[in-house]
Amino acid sequence: MPTLILVRHGRSTANTEGLLAGWTPGVSLDERGAEQAAELPGRLAGLPISEVVTSPLERCQQTLRPLLDARPELRAHTDERIGECHYGDWSGRKLAELMDEPLMEVVQTHPSAAAFPGGESMRAMQTRAAEAVREWNARVERDHGSDAVYLMCSHGDIIKSLVADALGLHLDLFQRISVEPCSITAIRYTRLRPFLVRLGDTGDFASLAPHEEPPGGDATVGGSAGAP
């Protein structure tokens, strides 16, 4: 079965402003995010990418633009199932404010029980994304062969949930996974099991330097802003 390259979108204006973007319109890449997107074609130059799939949200479309310009033979297929989690009433709010919400403790420690007011549950988010990957795996293998490589551009919580699915981890453990903006995660699917072969690879170790952590070591909902 194919190898899936998961790219988280580049750093966005919501990331740097500390907002939980969700499906809020008008969230685009910031200056650093645009630089990350421009570097993506070079980072992926050695890969024979057969298909490109993207979230419908602007920040993912912008992230892929340099890659598609560099490879005019590719076109992006939009799939809403790999779009960001529907955070409902939490969308567009400051993450610092949301830390005081009782639901945040559930999101951090028992995400399989978390459902966002006016939005969706984290279980539903993982289910739709995993179903999308399984369908695209079959489609890519049918059209391009079992050794094909394809790419999806998506969001932090979506990618973390897909990694958990590939590793056989319960969703309640997915907050232990971290994927930075424009990082590359690769999962090779086989008949018997998936293999996680890259996780959150940015090619840059600056994010490993000491920096301010979220209170209590909490995971950043939606994904962190990455290294400065």
Side-chain angles (χ1 to χ4, degrees):
M1 294 180 73
T3 296
L4 169 60
I5 307 298
L6 289 161
V7 177
R8 185 183 167 199
H9 61 79
R11 196 174 75 177
S12 72
T13 52
N15 293 144
T16 47
E17 292 170 10
L19 300 176
L20 185 60
W23 287 68
T24 305
V27 176
S28 60
L29 299 184
D30 68 5
E31 185 176 349
R32 175 60 184 142
E35 292 173 355
Q36 292 169 331
E39 294 166 358
L40 194 59
R43 294 169 63 199
L44 298 173
L47 289 178
I49 298 170
S50 59
E51 298 282 0
V52 173
V53 188
T54 181
S55 157
L57 295 173
E58 181 181 358
R59 51 198 183 273
C60 287
Q61 308 268 347
Q62 289 177 325
T63 299
L64 286 179
R65 197 163 296 147
L67 177 64
L68 296 174
D69 288 345
R71 300 201 191 189
E73 74 278 8
L74 294 175
R75 69 181 185 90
H77 304 274
T78 299
D79 194 326
E80 291 200 357
R81 294 174 296 177
I82 62 166
E84 181 62 285
C85 185
H86 292 276
Y87 296 116
D89 298 344
W90 279 26
S91 299
R93 292 181 60 187
K94 286 275 190 184
L95 285 164
E97 297 173 0
L98 293 170
M99 296 305 295
D100 295 328
E101 295 280 353
L103 177 60
M104 182 58 84
E105 184 178 4
V106 182
V107 171
Q108 292 291 332
T109 62
H110 192 20
S112 65
F116 296 97
E120 70 179 333
S121 70
M122 301 199 93
R123 282 186 296 110
M125 173 200 74
Q126 183 187 44
T127 297
R128 63 173 164 85
E131 287 177 350
V133 166
R134 284 165 174 77
E135 289 182 20
W136 276 101
N137 280 348
R139 177 173 172 175
V140 169
E141 182 173 19
R142 180 197 68 202
D143 294 345
H144 303 282
S146 59
D147 293 331
V149 176
Y150 75 107
L151 181 148
M152 283 184 169
C153 187
S154 189
H155 306 266
D157 281 349
I158 295 288
I159 295 173
K160 287 163 56 178
S161 75
L162 290 171
V163 169
D165 175 76
L167 292 176
L169 291 177
H170 197 283
L171 184 61
D172 285 347
L173 301 178
F174 101 127
Q175 297 290 27
R176 302 183 182 195
I177 299 165
S178 177
V179 289
E180 293 197 4
C182 224
S183 63
I184 292 172
T185 294
I187 302 171
R188 181 172 294 125
Y189 290 89
T190 73
R191 184 174 62 85
L192 296 180
R193 64 183 63 84
F195 292 91
L196 179 66
V197 292
R198 292 287 189 282
L199 176 60
D201 189 342
T202 62
D204 178 2
F205 295 103
S207 64
L208 300 181
H211 62 281
E212 184 177 348
E213 297 285 351
D218 287 343
T220 304
V221 182
S224 73

